[in-house]
């Protein structure tokens, strides 16, 4: 029986964080999720429901994980015997299991084709990339300071980087005219904008490959960014959680490779974020890492990670999985191939409907240009189109404005979190929608 409490006095006050509106949950990005949650598509029980294309989740290679666990059942348990149970169940310090940190460092090297090396002693474990990015923000900046972030960017950054830290995001405006690549001019303009607002800039945060663009950052551009942060004496955070989801290993250049080419000069200002949520498709396990070349950042991050630990049993399972080179080599190759095939399928389907996308080479989504379908080339026009697509076409896609894109009409569309059959249903819905709009216009 519920207990009802009558309040006839002003409610008791809460902290500034509790009442802050910087969480970002009023964004269309989250509103689309709500529409899906209220009416989720199911091929059999709800074929007219909303198809979730706003979730960047990798399910295309889940069968490989299930096969590994079937063949290595001991990895699912706590090890062999009561002593192993005791070892996992009792207190673990915030360094995490050495076996897992070694396996994680090795897996990160494999993804990069062995072109970058990672020291397990610099791997800091966190409960996912969300925690890793927030933790780094706490370490690098004070409330009121600014981080420069290229647009369009992942809508969750508004929550992850700002909400609890009090840090501001100043956009680095990128344009479709050069495929949204970051330029020295755009970096300088964002820095000056922050200065004009009396903000102290503490760093630049990039995602490589980009979410939502699904494209990698070129080596020359990474060099320019590193030169910029060095000249300004600020930090560089490279979020590389989709690095293993690039369709070809050779197309991805990690900031770690750029540092190695420069004999790690100025490396103390560079920090890498990684996670197993995307490449390995394990968001529910909440496994992320910070890899920093700065000793003080490593020490502080490890201390702060006590607020965001990974269970010992999860670490044990993943240490077993990632230490199996036969499994990881097959998984990385097969996953890349499957993602590329899925990407080509959605691009071809959209093209048949007359819709073009930015040329991508990685990630779990494509960056779709629907600007020709806007009634007005404005943010309001974009959101009106998005509202139609969510509530009439029944597809949850993410509007570019939720990613702070300055050009109306771009949308992020995820393709790896569903079956091929569901993807075909989604493409058919888009095709029917476009054809209907064309008939009305005629």
């Amino acid at each position: 029986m519920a207990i009802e409490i009558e309040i006839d006095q002003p409610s008791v006050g809460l902290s500034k964080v509790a009442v802050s509106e910087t969480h970002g949950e009023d964004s269309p990005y989250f509103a689309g999720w709500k529409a899906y949650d209220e009416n989720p598509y199911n091929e059999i029980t709800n074929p007219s429901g909303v198809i979730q294309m706003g979730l960047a989740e990798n399910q295309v290679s889940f069968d490989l994980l299930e096969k590994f666990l079937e063949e290595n059942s001991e990895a699912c348990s706590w090890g062999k015997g009561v002593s192993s149970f005791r070892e996992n169940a009792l207190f673990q310090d915030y360094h995490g299991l050495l076996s897992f940190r070694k396996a994680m460092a090795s897996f990160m090297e494999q993804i990069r084709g062995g072109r970058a090396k990672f020291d397990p002693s610099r791997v800091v474990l966190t409960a996912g990339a969300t925690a890793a990015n927030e933790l780094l923000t706490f370490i690098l900046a004070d409330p009121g300071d600014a981080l420069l972030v290229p647009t369009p960017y992942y809508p969750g950054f508004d929550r992850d980087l700002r909400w609890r830290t009090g840090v501001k995001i100043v956009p680095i405006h990128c344009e479709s005219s050069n495929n949204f690549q970051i330029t020295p001019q755009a970096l300088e303009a964002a820095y000056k904008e922050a200065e004009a607002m009396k903000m102290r800039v503490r760093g630049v945060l990039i995602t490589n490959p980009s979410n939502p663009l699904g494209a990698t950052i070129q080596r020359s551009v990474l060099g320019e960014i590193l030169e910029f942060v060095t000249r300004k004496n600020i930090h560089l955070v490279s979020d590389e959680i989709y690095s293993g989801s690039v369709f070809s290993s050779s197309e991805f250049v990690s900031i770690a490779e750029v540092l190695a080419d420069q004999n790690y000069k100025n490396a103390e200002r560079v920090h890498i974020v990684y996670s197993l949520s995307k490449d390995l498709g394990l968001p529910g396990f909440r496994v992320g890492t910070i890899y920093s070349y700065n000793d003080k950042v490593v020490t502080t991050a490890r201390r702060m990670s006590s607020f965001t630990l990974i269970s010992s049993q999860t670490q044990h399972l993943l240490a077993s999985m990632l230490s199996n080179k036969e499994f990881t080599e097959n998984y990385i190759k097969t996953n890349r191939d499957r993602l590329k095939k899925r990407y080509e399928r959605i691009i071809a389907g959209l093209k048949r409907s007359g819709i073009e996308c930015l040329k991508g080479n990685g990630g779990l989504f494509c960056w779709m240009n629907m600007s020709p379908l806007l009634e007005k080339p404005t943010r309001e026009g974009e959101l009106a189109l998005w509202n139609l697509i969510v509530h009439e076409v029944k597809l949850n896609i993410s509007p570019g404005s939720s990613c702070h894109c300055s050009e109306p009409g771009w949308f992020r569309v995820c393709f790896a979190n569903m079956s091929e059959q569901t993807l075909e249903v989604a493409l058919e819905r888009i095709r029917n929608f476009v054809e209907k709009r064309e008939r009305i216009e005629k």
Side-chain angles (χ1 to χ4, degrees):
M1 180 178 176
I3 300 175
E4 295 184 4
I5 301 176
E6 291 187 11
I7 300 176
D8 28 44
Q9 60 186 27
S11 61
V12 63
L14 300 175
S15 71
K16 290 180 180 178
V17 171
V19 300
S20 168
E21 296 184 356
T22 56
H23 181 276
E25 65 182 358
D26 57 346
S27 164
Y29 173 75
F30 292 108
W33 282 47
K34 183 179 180 182
Y36 168 77
D37 289 340
E38 292 173 349
N39 184 25
Y41 170 84
N42 183 283
E43 184 179 353
I44 298 172
T45 61
N46 191 20
S48 62
V50 177
I51 296 177
Q52 174 63 290
M53 305 187 86
L55 175 62
E57 185 174 76
N58 183 3
Q59 295 183 21
V60 301
S61 299
F62 211 79
D63 61 306
L64 302 180
L65 303 177
E66 293 172 326
K67 182 181 178 184
F68 173 86
L69 294 176
E70 287 174 4
E71 296 174 351
N72 301 271
S73 57
E74 73 283 354
C76 296
S77 66
W78 45 76
K80 297 179 180 178
V82 174
S83 62
S84 294
F85 168 76
R86 182 183 183 86
E87 181 182 340
N88 278 278
L90 295 182
F91 176 77
Q92 296 282 350
D93 71 18
Y94 42 68
H95 288 73
L97 301 180
L98 179 58
S99 60
F100 179 52
R101 286 189 284 119
K102 285 181 175 179
M104 194 68 157
S106 176
F107 187 63
M108 290 169 68
E109 292 177 0
Q110 266 188 287
I111 283 171
R112 291 156 180 79
R115 298 183 302 274
K117 298 297 180 184
F118 296 98
D119 179 355
S121 69
R122 291 191 173 276
V123 172
V124 179
L125 303 177
T126 64
T130 293
N133 279 312
E134 186 192 50
L135 194 153
L136 267 177
T137 305
F138 270 122
I139 295 171
L140 305 182
D142 292 313
D145 289 346
L147 291 178
L148 309 183
V149 183
T151 63
Y153 63 74
Y154 164 56
F157 281 159
D158 289 328
R159 169 199 62 204
D160 304 350
L161 308 180
R162 302 187 310 165
W163 182 35
R164 298 198 300 182
T165 66
V167 171
K168 310 294 184 182
I169 294 177
V170 175
I172 303 168
H173 292 291
C174 302
E175 301 173 350
S176 61
S177 58
N178 71 337
N179 297 323
F180 296 98
Q181 285 285 351
I182 305 162
T183 65
Q185 294 79 13
L187 285 164
E188 195 64 51
Y191 192 90
K192 288 180 178 177
E193 181 183 347
E195 282 188 320
M197 293 186 287
K198 307 299 182 186
M199 296 180 190
R200 182 178 62 158
V201 177
R202 301 300 290 155
V204 173
L205 185 146
I206 58 175
T207 57
N208 185 25
S210 166
N211 175 10
L213 300 178
T216 54
I217 301 177
Q218 299 169 5
R219 182 185 292 269
S220 60
V221 175
L222 289 172
E224 290 171 347
I225 297 170
L226 186 56
E227 188 279 329
F228 174 82
V229 298
T230 302
R231 178 161 43 85
K232 299 294 187 183
N233 194 29
I234 57 178
H235 294 271
L236 173 60
V237 178
S238 184
D239 184 330
E240 300 184 357
I241 66 171
Y242 293 98
S243 51
S245 300
V246 179
F247 308 146
S248 172
S249 173
S250 62
E251 293 186 50
F252 173 70
V253 179
S254 171
I255 193 65
E257 296 176 51
V258 177
L259 289 174
D261 289 345
Q262 299 181 7
N263 294 318
Y264 298 97
K265 184 180 179 182
N266 299 308
E268 74 281 355
R269 69 184 69 254
V270 177
H271 324 282
I272 297 171
V273 170
Y274 186 60
S275 163
L276 298 181
S277 296
K278 307 303 181 181
D279 293 344
L280 215 57
L282 297 173
F285 276 25
R286 308 309 306 152
V287 177
T289 68
I290 293 171
Y291 189 90
S292 177
Y293 297 89
N294 185 307
D295 292 342
K296 184 63 176 175
V297 169
V298 171
T299 299
T300 308
R302 191 157 282 144
R303 289 170 180 165
M304 294 181 73
S305 70
S306 60
F307 296 100
T308 172
L309 297 174
I310 306 168
S311 76
S312 297
Q313 189 162 353
T314 298
Q315 293 183 56
H316 170 79
L317 186 160
L318 293 173
S320 175
M321 181 180 287
L322 298 184
S323 297
N324 187 317
K325 289 296 183 287
E326 182 181 354
F327 166 77
T328 54
E329 287 174 7
N330 178 61
Y331 181 90
I332 291 170
K333 181 183 184 304
T334 304
N335 185 56
R336 290 189 196 278
D337 291 343
R338 289 179 178 180
L339 286 174
K340 182 179 181 180
K341 180 182 176 183
R342 185 67 69 89
Y343 171 80
E344 291 172 344
R345 187 167 187 162
I346 190 171
I347 293 299
L350 291 171
K351 194 165 188 175
R352 284 194 293 271
S353 297
I355 299 172
E356 297 292 335
C357 297
L358 182 77
K359 182 175 173 53
N361 60 354
L364 313 177
F365 32 73
C366 60
W367 189 235
M368 178 175 71
N369 183 9
M370 299 190 79
S371 59
L373 297 178
L374 298 182
E375 291 187 0
K376 295 180 180 179
T378 61
R379 180 179 185 274
E380 290 71 24
E382 175 184 280
L383 292 178
L385 178 61
W386 167 79
N387 193 60
L388 280 175
I389 293 172
V390 171
H391 295 103
E392 293 189 20
V393 186
K394 303 292 181 65
L395 300 176
N396 175 31
I397 61 177
S398 305
S401 55
S402 70
C403 305
H404 300 271
C405 182
S406 55
E407 300 178 23
W410 292 89
F411 293 81
R412 190 192 74 165
V413 185
C414 300
F415 55 75
N417 62 318
M418 65 192 76
S419 67
E420 291 187 355
Q421 292 80 3
T422 300
L423 180 59
E424 287 304 318
V425 173
L427 289 171
E428 183 179 359
R429 289 184 183 183
I430 292 174
R431 186 163 53 249
N432 291 339
F433 172 69
V434 172
E435 290 175 354
K436 181 180 177 181
R437 297 271 291 199
E438 288 176 345
R439 285 196 301 269
I440 293 173
E441 290 176 1
K442 289 179 180 178

